[in-house]
């Protein structure tokens, strides 16, 4: 670690790489295909309008894999442990729609790209918890109409959630850590630059150098289950 004094406010951003060792596929490690689908066929409002059945089946499959198979891995657990033991301000921002951070015990967490275990009424914006498959003809509880329930996921072309809170935290933090994200998708890909401009030390923990790796003050490469715990345990040791 190269920070001069122990950080008082930390922002962590996670991406698909932190859940890879839990068996969940990342987005860009498979010839641009995500579970055999082009992203634009399943993760855009246009795709949902054109083929709601396909989109719901795609997310139903992701949801059942998450509920029935995936477990938090050591990296999720190490982050949650750090948050518990750390005495400063800590915010975890995730681009992931899985619930592995919360299952590991993370508390101050924002899902900027939505949540797979929630659905939303497109007419009233009411949000419902959901662990079972959604059928696109299904009647919605709030509006009573068919076809209105959609995955509570921020699709391409839609605005990510909690952006005001996120920008405030980025401007205040003195350490920014990016874990398991390729740096391809904005606005998240720009968070490092904002934090750095406001004076934070910035660190990337990733399997390989991401697109924006050269802009970080520090880069550590390896599988998340190995490098996340090491990094945060060392950081905690500098606090005491
Ligand atoms: N440990 C650490 N990093 C890993 C691991 C691992 N075990 N496995 C893969 N990675 C890294 C990859 O090297 C890659 O840089 O994780 C990154 C995953 O990148 P992406 O697949 O592009 O995922 P992400 O950056 O989260 O995508 C951002 O794009 O498709 C949209 O909305 C979706 O939230 C997603 C956003």
């Amino acid at each position: 670690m190269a920070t001069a004094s122990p950080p008082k406010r930390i922002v962590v951003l996670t991406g698909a790489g932190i859940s890879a060792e839990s068996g969940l596929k990342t987005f860009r490690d498979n010839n641009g295909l995500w579970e055999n689908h082009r992203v634009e066929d399943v993760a855009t409002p246009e795709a949902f309008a054109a083929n709601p059945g396909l989109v719901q089946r795609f997310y139903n499959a992701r949801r059942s894999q998450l509920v029935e198979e995936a477990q938090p891995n050591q990296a999720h657990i190490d982050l949650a442990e750090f948050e518990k033991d750390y005495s400063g301000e800590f915010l975890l921002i995730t681009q992931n729609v899985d619930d592995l951070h919360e299952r590991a015990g993370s508390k101050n967490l924002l899902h900027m790209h939505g949540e797979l275990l929630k659905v939303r009424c497109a007419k009233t914006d009411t949000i419902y918890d959901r662990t079972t498959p959604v059928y696109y003809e299904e009647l919605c509880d709030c509006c009573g109409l068919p076809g209105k329930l959609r995955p509570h996921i921020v699709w391409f072309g839609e605005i990510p959630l909690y952006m005001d809170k996120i920008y405030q935290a980025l401007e205040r933090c003195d350490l920014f850590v990016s874990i398991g994200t390729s740096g391809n998708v904005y606005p998240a890909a720009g968070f490092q630059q904002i934090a750095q401009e406001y004076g934070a030390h910035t660190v990337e923990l990733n399997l390989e150098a991401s697109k924006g790796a050269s802009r970080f003050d520090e880069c550590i490469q390896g599988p998340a289950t190995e490098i996340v715990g090491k990094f945060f345990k060392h950081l905690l040791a500098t606090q005491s």
Side-chain angles (χ1 to χ4, degrees):
M1 266 294 297
T3 39
S5 53
K8 294 190 173 59
R9 297 185 190 94
I10 300 176
V11 172
V12 174
L13 170 71
T14 61
I18 198 165
S19 295
E21 291 165 85
S22 294
L24 301 180
K25 286 254 164 63
T26 61
F27 299 94
R28 292 177 183 79
D29 291 341
N30 196 21
N31 300 323
L33 294 184
W34 180 26
E35 298 280 2
N36 301 320
H37 291 274
R38 293 185 318 150
V39 165
E40 53 271 36
D41 292 339
V42 288
T44 62
E46 293 77 18
F48 188 57
N51 199 341
L54 169 75
V55 173
Q56 294 287 17
R57 281 195 300 280
F58 176 79
Y59 284 98
N60 287 344
R62 308 276 74 71
R63 195 178 297 118
S64 73
Q65 181 194 21
L66 178 60
V67 171
E68 287 159 26
E69 297 165 27
Q71 297 293 335
N73 65 46
Q74 195 56 46
H76 298 105
I77 294 166
D78 288 334
L79 267 182
E81 291 289 309
F82 176 80
E83 181 181 4
K84 190 156 60 69
D85 296 337
Y86 176 61
S87 56
E89 280 178 31
F90 181 88
L91 175 65
L92 175 55
I93 304 164
T94 187
Q95 298 169 89
N96 299 342
V97 298
D98 65 57
D99 66 341
L100 299 181
H101 281 307
E102 41 277 62
R103 276 200 252 160
S106 286
K107 299 287 182 230
N108 200 17
L109 168 68
L110 297 177
H111 278 278
M112 65 177 288
H113 288 169
E115 293 171 69
L116 191 49
L117 300 188
K118 291 189 174 156
V119 293
R120 184 170 86 234
C121 172
K123 193 171 162 62
T124 67
D125 280 340
T126 308
I127 295 168
Y128 299 94
D129 290 335
R130 186 78 180 223
T131 52
T132 54
V134 182
Y135 299 97
Y136 74 95
E137 312 89 338
E138 190 174 315
L139 300 183
C140 169
D141 273 354
C142 57
C143 68
L145 295 171
K148 293 293 172 203
L149 279 182
R150 55 160 284 178
H152 184 46
I153 302 281
V154 177
W155 285 325
F156 285 93
E158 298 183 320
I159 298 168
L161 308 171
Y162 312 112
M163 291 312 296
D164 288 351
K165 266 190 183 170
I166 289 173
Y167 285 130
Q168 274 174 25
L170 290 171
E171 291 169 12
R172 282 166 54 83
C173 71
D174 43 18
L175 175 65
F176 173 81
V177 185
S178 170
I179 305 172
T181 177
S182 63
N184 276 287
V185 174
Y186 282 82
F191 290 175
Q192 178 275 339
Q193 218 163 341
I194 296 171
Q196 194 171 54
E197 276 168 16
Y198 278 84
H201 181 76
T202 63
V203 181
E204 172 172 283
L205 306 179
N206 208 47
L207 193 59
E208 61 201 2
S210 75
K211 219 174 159 197
S214 62
R215 293 197 298 260
F216 283 81
D217 299 307
E218 202 180 335
C219 287
I220 298 170
Q221 285 165 21
T225 51
E226 290 175 20
I227 60 178
V228 170
K230 228 183 253 175
F231 178 84
F232 282 97
K233 280 183 185 114
H234 184 266
L235 190 60
L236 211 51
T238 66
Q239 297 282 291
S240 46

